[in-house]
Amino acid sequence: KNQSGTSFWCSGALHPDAAYKMGNSCSLLAGDVVDRVDALLNDIGGPVVIVSAANIAAELKNQSGVRSVHTPEWLPSHSAGKAMRNAGYRPKHPIACINSLAGAVLQCVESEDQPDWVGDKLFVDIAKIAYAATKNIFSISTSDEWKAELTALLDSDGDGDLELDELKQFIEADGVLSANKAVRKALAKAERESARGAKPSDVLATLEPVRRILQQSAERGDSADGLSNDDIKTRSMLSRHLALKDGWRDPAGIKVRPLSSPGDGDLTAITYLSGVPIIKLFTALMGPLIAQLQEFGYEPVRMLRAFPYDWRCPPSKLEERDSYFSNLMDGIEELVRNAGGEKCVLVAHSMGCRVSHYFTHWVATTEPGLARGGRDWLDAHVHSLVPIGGAFLGACSGPM
């Protein structure tokens, strides 16, 4: 435990060189940590939770009171995955990743109404959803806060700054905003500031005088005075594509499913959203975890795969409509074969934990699952379930 009383776990035994030159007291502390961690790992037979090796060094420094710490080369500061690998660990059990609610990007597979949307990713197109979030952004209390939130939303190139072109695209997308003299004046001032070499944050500050106008435009929503007809049509059409009949059936002439990317084990489907500005504003999803697993040495397709499900559909209908659980069994069997018979670990996030839990019961109790072995199949193929933020007791309803 650290000084605040919070327990911490390291991913593996510290290197014998942990007792490096930090004085006798810190050397004794490092040796004690090595002994205790080694004993723990021997008891459980492997690593506990992946934590960056830099945190281990910081903990040693914190508890020893030493202000200057020499960090050896085997303690890289930037990657828990690399630290594990440098410590001598290697991937053993294959991993199947199962996404959260809205954690997999959806793709238009069929559309009679919008044939040009076929193959497009839905839900994350800034042009389709920016206005839905604008109201909240412009109601934030302080200037610095709303500028930071707006930058995160409209920073299409992901460089952390809101450039003038991105700002102009946002304003000109709304006919009312682009025709407003005050808004045009603010935009012209922004152009002058940019030409003088002002920082992006200073250029963005020119919107302050028209902040209320921007908020009112967002509040008008779908009214005739608000978004352009094209925007209204797009939002309505997007809603039609994301809606399901009876809560699980496809609407007539429309079919939307999770993105398929077999070349990388479908990992793109559950990591794509982690890089979208408006999404990464609120959550990292499974992107950083998968990145660390790959740094550690997990090879996509062979040892690491995602099994994205349509999060709009209840788990009880995933098999009937998409054969999801049968396909998941097939995929797990393939991972186990690839790993030379080592059992698969299910890593699930949020609602994916409930889907995974449902899956185990489906295998053990339903006719299709029992036909393939039921509980014996689980014992032979599934090592464990690692839930991340699982909503096993349900989720809150209403305002938080």
Side-chain angles (χ1 to χ4, degrees):
K1 293 187 177 181
N2 61 20
Q3 293 177 350
S4 66
T6 303
S7 298
F8 76 100
W9 302 97
C10 70
S11 60
L14 292 175
H15 194 279
D17 292 340
Y20 39 82
K21 300 177 181 179
M22 299 189 299
N24 291 335
S25 61
C26 194
S27 295
L28 291 173
L29 173 64
D32 181 55
V33 172
V34 170
D35 292 340
R36 283 185 289 164
V37 171
D38 276 335
L40 174 65
L41 294 175
N42 287 333
D43 288 342
I44 67 172
V48 185
V49 177
I50 296 178
V51 173
S52 172
N55 292 99
I56 301 173
E59 185 69 21
L60 291 171
K61 177 180 177 180
N62 179 49
Q63 299 229 15
S64 66
V66 178
R67 296 186 177 276
S68 178
V69 179
H70 163 68
T71 303
E73 294 181 356
W74 56 266
L75 275 180
S77 61
H78 57 282
S79 170
K82 285 185 178 179
M84 288 278 288
R85 191 167 185 83
N86 290 343
Y89 291 93
R90 294 295 182 268
K92 179 180 180 181
H93 295 283
I95 294 178
C97 300
I98 301 177
N99 57 276
S100 64
L101 173 69
V105 63
L106 301 178
Q107 182 181 45
C108 181
V109 179
E110 298 175 8
S111 177
E112 293 180 0
D113 295 328
Q114 293 289 127
D116 56 322
W117 281 17
V118 174
D120 284 356
K121 302 178 185 70
L122 300 180
F123 180 75
V124 295
D125 190 327
I126 293 298
K128 297 185 175 99
I129 60 174
Y131 292 102
T134 310
K135 179 178 177 180
N136 290 333
I137 287 174
F138 284 104
S139 63
I140 294 175
S141 56
T142 70
S143 175
D144 287 341
E145 286 176 343
W146 76 261
K147 285 190 293 185
E149 299 287 343
L150 184 62
T151 297
L153 172 64
L154 300 179
D155 179 22
S156 59
D157 58 12
D159 64 354
D161 291 321
L162 180 58
E163 283 81 16
L164 181 61
D165 289 343
E166 295 168 326
L167 180 61
K168 290 172 64 177
Q169 182 179 4
F170 168 69
I171 293 175
E172 293 172 357
D174 188 311
V176 173
L177 290 179
S178 60
N180 186 286
K181 291 183 179 180
V183 173
R184 299 302 301 180
K185 181 178 179 181
L187 184 59
K189 183 177 179 180
E191 291 175 331
R192 292 194 297 272
E193 291 293 320
S194 179
R196 284 198 292 263
K199 296 185 297 184
S201 59
D202 294 333
V203 174
L204 184 58
T206 59
L207 284 179
E208 183 69 37
V210 296
R211 176 177 172 183
R212 182 57 187 164
I213 299 174
L214 295 169
Q215 183 178 353
Q216 290 173 341
S217 177
E219 289 173 346
R220 281 196 295 270
D222 286 344
S223 69
D225 298 325
L227 305 179
S228 67
N229 289 334
D230 287 342
D231 287 322
I232 296 172
K233 179 180 178 181
T234 298
R235 291 177 62 178
S236 175
M237 190 62 66
L238 179 63
S239 297
R240 287 186 58 191
H241 280 69
L242 291 178
L244 290 172
K245 184 180 179 181
D246 300 327
W248 66 283
R249 300 178 188 273
D250 293 314
I254 294 175
K255 183 177 181 180
V256 173
R257 292 292 185 272
L259 178 69
S260 176
S261 57
D264 68 352
D266 288 323
L267 294 176
T268 297
I270 66 172
T271 58
Y272 179 86
L273 295 175
S274 300
V276 175
I278 193 173
I279 304 298
K280 69 181 182 183
L281 184 63
F282 304 105
T283 178
L285 300 173
M286 297 187 80
L289 172 61
I290 290 175
Q292 288 301 312
L293 289 171
Q294 290 183 261
E295 289 273 11
F296 177 47
Y298 270 93
E299 181 183 341
V301 181
R302 192 181 71 85
M303 290 286 286
L304 177 65
R305 284 185 57 182
F307 293 89
Y309 62 92
D310 188 343
W311 41 265
R312 303 170 301 158
C313 187
S316 59
K317 294 296 183 180
L318 286 174
E319 176 67 17
E320 181 177 347
R321 199 196 70 176
D322 298 337
S323 300
Y324 177 76
F325 296 125
S326 294
N327 293 334
L328 180 53
M329 290 182 76
D330 293 340
I332 290 174
E333 288 178 354
E334 183 176 351
L335 283 171
V336 171
R337 286 194 298 270
N338 293 342
E342 295 291 347
K343 298 179 185 180
C344 183
V345 174
L346 304 181
V347 177
H349 177 218
S350 192
M351 196 174 86
C353 301
R354 298 307 307 270
V355 173
S356 302
H357 195 203
Y358 189 98
F359 166 68
T360 61
H361 283 270
W362 181 88
V363 173
T365 61
T366 68
E367 184 177 342
L370 290 170
R372 297 178 64 168
R375 185 176 293 276
D376 290 339
W377 185 93
L378 291 171
D379 291 339
H381 294 87
V382 178
H383 175 274
S384 55
L385 165 62
V386 179
I388 303 172
F392 289 113
L393 295 180
C396 296
S397 175
M400 297 288 288

